[in-house]
Amino acid sequence: MVSTLKHIMIAAFCCCIINTNVARSQSGSHDVALLLAVFKTKPSMSDPLPAFEIKLKDLPPEQKYATYTALQEDYRRALQEHEKRLENAINRLAAMGDPVVQTLLTEYKKKSHKDLDGEGLSQYRVNIIRALGKINTPCSQEIVLQIALGQIAELGPSPIAAEVYIDNLQTKSDAIPLLDNKYLQSCDLRRLKGAALDQAIYEKCQTFLSSPDYGLRTRAAQVVCSDPHADWAWEKVNALVRSLQTVADMPHAGRKYQSQWLGTTADNTYAELTRAMMGIAGLNASHIKPHMQTLEGGPRFCLEILLAGLKDASGKEALKNHIQDIHSGTVLRLMALDQFEKIMTDEDKTFLTQLSQNDPLLIYDLGGPRYEIVDSAFLVSPHLTFEGEEDENEKAFQAFTEEDILRRGAAGRQYYIVRETAQTLLKKHFSVGNQN
């Protein structure tokens, strides 16, 4: 309610400012028009690659490379010069302040410009948003917020405007209306990472830690954990532990996350939440150990990794057991080995040697897609999203896909990823050569 009233008051103030300054701004309308014309320009040359592929394909290799390099350098300079012209125009418009806001808003709302194609019009609006952001007054900020929320000329929500608005905020809780918009949540969270949060926005971001969406959950964790308030460490750990406890309930938690990624959705989510927790300001082992008594499985493994990262070896044996367990998650196992290095002692040479010689996880790398294989079978299903009852056609298709992957993988690039990681640690700390 307070936030809504605040925006109403700003909008009214905005209208007053604009109407008061219309006559004053008309004297500079010619300058404004010239600066807006700069917004419509393009770099003096386009990307040379498409034309290069056609026109220069018959050149000798050395001449082809030299020509392409020169063209790319020219193109880079053209982009830099164009950006300088844009930045200069934006700065000059911004110096005019609120009197130019109405003109910028009118230009943004236009459905078309005769001299602009669809791509050009989109970029023109982006430049207008940048100028409004540079003005950075209550009036211009209110307009940017309306653009972000899609309340201007029915043009739809604008992630770029949302980012500009958030960058200008002194009170981050003013970003809550943007976080309530499902089309803007991901970009909002990316923009809030590293920001000092006030209590309202901190609590709002925490609500995403139980999201069924991988991106929202992990980005919210990054925002919460990158906040610099060290006195919130205990509260942050508690919030992230609650998130860890619901990862297994996420949609497709046990399925392969992406074809080019190792691990399941759950495995990757656990890893990202753990990585985020490593950045909590003021984090120490006392924040973690109380949870070790109640957690098991993936959530406990994550906290064991955190303790190792803090050079606390109290959970070392449990950590080693999880590293050896192929069902603990490939991504988490690799992360655990990375942190295990911080608590290793001479007694761990035997553990690493056995791991480097015996771990059964084999990776089939098909030049993009990667698959986890144990004993000539998939550790993680290669099918990304299918769950539930399968009809006969679906079963047949999946069986064909799996046979094709196994056939191509067996004849292609293969490597034991955990063995190689353990071998690297042996060579680094114990001067042990390749024993595979």
Side-chain angles (χ1 to χ4, degrees), residues 93-105:
L93 282 168
M96 298 178 186
D98 282 332
V100 80
V101 167
Q102 181 59 58
T103 301
L104 293 173
L105 179 58

Side-chain angles (χ1 to χ4, degrees), residues 52-66:
F52 172 80
E53 294 286 357
I54 297 172
K55 296 179 181 179
L56 306 178
K57 62 180 180 179
D58 296 326
L59 289 176
E62 296 82 359
Q63 187 176 352
K64 186 175 182 179
Y65 177 77

Side-chain angles (χ1 to χ4, degrees), residues 58-237:
D58 296 326
L59 289 176
E62 296 82 359
Q63 187 176 352
K64 186 175 182 179
Y65 177 77
T67 304
Y68 175 69
T69 302
L71 286 172
Q72 281 296 107
E73 181 61 23
D74 289 343
Y75 180 52
R76 185 187 64 80
R77 281 197 294 268
L79 289 178
Q80 288 181 337
E81 291 170 0
H82 177 63
E83 182 57 33
K84 286 180 180 178
R85 288 194 297 272
L86 280 179
E87 193 66 31
N88 179 59
I90 288 170
N91 288 336
R92 290 177 63 186
L93 282 168
M96 298 178 186
D98 282 332
V100 80
V101 167
Q102 181 59 58
T103 301
L104 293 173
L105 179 58
T106 300
E107 288 294 302
Y108 184 89
K109 290 164 64 174
K110 287 183 180 178
K111 296 293 186 180
S112 63
H113 290 260
K114 293 181 180 180
D115 51 348
L116 292 173
D117 57 16
E119 182 181 350
L121 179 58
S122 295
Q123 187 57 53
Y124 183 54
R125 288 185 176 135
V126 168
N127 294 333
I128 289 172
I129 292 169
R130 290 175 62 188
L132 287 166
K134 194 82 171 184
I135 292 172
N136 193 18
T137 61
C139 179
S140 64
Q141 271 287 84
E142 183 65 24
I143 298 299
V144 172
L145 176 61
Q146 292 177 21
I147 291 173
L149 293 172
Q151 297 173 350
I152 300 294
E154 299 180 347
L155 291 174
S158 168
I160 293 173
E163 292 175 354
V164 168
Y165 180 78
I166 289 173
D167 286 348
N168 283 340
L169 288 179
Q170 296 297 315
T171 304
K172 294 303 181 185
S173 57
D174 287 344
I176 287 178
L178 297 175
L179 287 169
D180 287 333
N181 188 302
K182 64 180 182 179
Y183 299 106
L184 301 173
Q185 289 166 344
S186 289
C187 74
D188 297 340
L189 291 171
R190 281 197 301 269
R191 217 59 178 188
L192 285 167
K193 182 179 178 181
L197 308 180
D198 50 63
Q199 189 66 34
I201 192 70
Y202 172 70
E203 292 175 358
K204 180 66 177 178
C205 288
Q206 282 194 75
T207 64
F208 295 114
L209 294 177
S210 59
S211 171
D213 182 87
Y214 168 87
L216 286 181
R217 185 183 288 237
T218 56
R219 288 182 186 126
Q222 292 167 1
V223 172
V224 169
C225 295
S226 64
D227 165 80
H229 290 97
D231 54 337
W232 291 359
W234 176 251
E235 185 178 354
K236 292 173 186 176
V237 170

